[in-house]
Amino acid sequence: MDGTRETKVTFNQSAEFGEAVLAGLKGFQRKTAEYAFKRLYRAEDSTRRFLIADEVGLGKTLVAAGVIAEAIDHLREEGVPRIDVIYICSNQAIARQNVDRIRHHLPIETKPLAERITLLPYRLDALKEVNLIALTPGTSFNSASAEGIVEERVILFRMLTEAWGDLGHNARLVFLGGLRNVARFKEYEDSYEDRRVDQSIVE
């Protein structure tokens, strides 16, 4: 882990683990994490964004773990019921590697998400108190085509149906995309029938 000593912390509802995670960092990594957290959350002129730029291999991922740990402590003190950490990475291989590093240092059970962001309506009910959600351009922001993928179109159709009632045959034609007919679209509808769509997104 970039030359740092490993830290194992027990997570419970009342414990603060930011300090324990920071204790596992090198001095310059800890100072960077503490300063970034202060600028984001504690400073009177706090900011919504902070850039850390240095040489490759100096432990920016571990600094991120320190900032995340302190932020989780802070947000739980503020009474935030669910904390979502969104990690955007250039590709899936790097995302898997870095997310594993972060999760190793954070004693929390996270809900990893490394797929298309448009599928969130099917996933939100499975999220936990603290979630580390990894998104990459290839899996989350690439539309694949102007029509999207079948599962995305089925989600949209199902949400519209919940809001407005059965839209009928002609409405399904709008969502066919590359499918050959409405019957094929209905097969996909039926196959996803047991998946609950998050009501907050429907609303």
Side-chain angles (χ1 to χ4, degrees), residues 3-151:
T4 63
R5 63 182 184 276
E6 295 185 355
T7 304
K8 186 65 178 177
V9 196
T10 300
F11 176 69
N12 60 52
Q13 289 300 104
S14 59
E16 291 187 6
F17 56 87
E19 178 57 37
V21 173
L22 291 175
L25 305 184
K26 292 181 177 179
F28 72 91
Q29 294 168 340
R30 177 179 181 132
K31 287 180 180 179
T32 304
E34 289 175 332
Y35 184 72
F37 170 76
K38 178 181 177 182
R39 292 292 297 123
L40 290 167
Y41 290 98
R42 300 288 192 194
E44 290 185 7
D45 60 340
S46 62
T47 179
R48 292 176 59 87
R49 61 186 69 183
F50 192 91
L51 174 66
I52 297 173
D54 60 20
E55 297 291 335
V56 174
L58 292 182
K60 287 182 289 296
T61 300
L62 302 181
V63 170
V67 174
I68 291 169
E70 288 202 281
I72 290 171
D73 283 344
H74 172 75
L75 294 172
R76 291 174 71 215
E77 287 174 8
E78 297 287 312
V80 176
R82 194 186 85 204
I83 300 167
D84 298 325
V85 180
I86 310 299
Y87 182 84
I88 299 175
C89 201
S90 58
N91 62 62
Q92 285 181 292
I94 294 176
R96 278 193 298 269
Q97 172 184 305
N98 289 354
V99 165
D100 284 345
R101 284 184 177 182
I102 292 173
R103 292 177 75 190
H104 174 81
H105 284 264
L106 297 178
I108 53 176
E109 184 179 2
T110 63
K111 174 66 178 179
L113 178 68
E115 57 188 337
R116 297 176 71 81
I117 197 170
T118 46
L119 303 183
L120 274 176
Y122 282 154
R123 313 293 190 247
L124 290 186
D125 61 339
L127 295 183
K128 303 178 182 301
E129 178 194 3
V130 179
N131 306 286
L132 180 57
I133 301 173
L135 303 175
T136 68
T139 60
S140 302
F141 308 113
N142 182 2
S143 63
S145 72
E147 302 162 343
I149 62 175
V150 174
E151 190 174 6

